Amino acid sequence: MIINSKELCGIDCQFTDVVAYRMGKRDYTTYNYETCGRNNHLIYYQIENTRSYTVEDELVCSIGPGDIIFIPHGTKYRSFCCNTDMPIDGIGISFSIKNSDDEEIYLNDKVRLVAHDDFGLLFKKFKMVLYSTMNPARNILRLKGEMFSIIDELFTPKEIRSDFDNIYSDIMQAIIAIENKTNINFSTKELADMCHMSESTFLRKFKDYSGGIAPIKYRNKIRLTHAEEMANSDLTLNEIAENLGFFDGAHLCKIYKQEKGHTLKREMTSKSF
């Protein structure tokens, strides 16, 4: 399956074979993929110094601190450090993409600078992916979340992001509360009060955002997704339930069975994400 990176925002996909690395302070290696090309996608965050990228001996771009470059699978290119008199630093994340049918997704983009991280927010996400891949326990849930967040930031078209923010800006505080504080049982009134509107107006706007799902059910869907990720951890069922805001393990299993039609035990965490 071949698409443009801007189309990723509308596709149900997963990231596989995620590998992250941090460049050494004196690693001035020239990376040469001119013969066989990359065998995966790469997003690279430049922290210190400058790197240049060439395709067929022509300079495509040079990146400095805070710049993020994207190099698609199969690209034939060469990259090198521009100044060997100062330390160099950067974080690279290589990965593959598959759709819901487990079909490989290839992006027909070219080597390009995709973003400049003005406030360091993406740097924190890159570091979290790096730490998650290096940790022997490997926090799959955090790794999955940060990868989706990075790809969304880099590839969702600005016009879509802008339209979304404008349409739902008046209920965004409630959306953030539900999505980021899933262990808290906010009532509909509390959520409406956050947005300074009546419950009926809030419910109407929220259902438009969620595709017709009420806030409590929307929150439970998020919780159950987290429960699936935590099912193979060392936590007990009661501990998982407590972390997610359910009364106990029995309550979690009851809600899960109602929503999914089968027990939580049968839902196993996939190695691919």
Side-chain angles (χ1 to χ4, degrees), residues 14-17 98 102 140 269-273:
Q14 58 183 343
F15 302 104
T16 63
D17 305 319
K98 292 185 177 181
D102 207 35
I140 297 296
T269 302
S270 170
K271 291 182 180 179
S272 296
F273 54 88

Side-chain angles (χ1 to χ4, degrees), residues 31 40 45 71 79 118 130 138 147 156 163 165 172 191 205 226 230 241 249 260:
Y31 293 92
N40 46 28
Y45 189 114
I71 304 175
S79 76
D118 292 308
L130 175 68
R138 195 161 177 172
M147 277 299 296
T156 296
D163 288 346
D165 291 343
M172 192 54 63
L191 294 169
K205 293 201 168 204
H226 291 340
M230 300 167 73
K260 301 286 188 176

Side-chain angles (χ1 to χ4, degrees), residues 23 42 51 53 95 111 124:
M23 186 168 288
L42 175 72
R51 289 194 72 82
Y53 294 79
F95 58 97
V111 176
K124 294 179 181 179

Side-chain angles (χ1 to χ4, degrees), residues 17-37:
D17 305 319
V18 178
V19 177
Y21 64 91
R22 187 157 188 171
M23 186 168 288
K25 293 288 185 180
R26 296 292 172 184
D27 183 3
Y28 302 116
T29 305
T30 293
Y31 293 92
N32 191 333
Y33 290 87
E34 292 176 325
T35 302
C36 55

Side-chain angles (χ1 to χ4, degrees), residues 169-182:
S169 60
D170 53 354
I171 62 168
M172 192 54 63
Q173 187 171 350
I175 293 170
I176 292 172
I178 293 172
E179 294 182 349
N180 292 350
K181 300 178 180 179
T182 54

Side-chain angles (χ1 to χ4, degrees), residues 35 59 106 124 145 150 157 179 185 199 224 236 246 253 257:
T35 302
L59 179 66
Y106 300 100
K124 294 179 181 179
I150 290 171
E179 294 182 349
N185 293 305
E199 287 186 56
L224 296 181
T236 66
F246 292 102
C253 288
K257 182 74 177 291

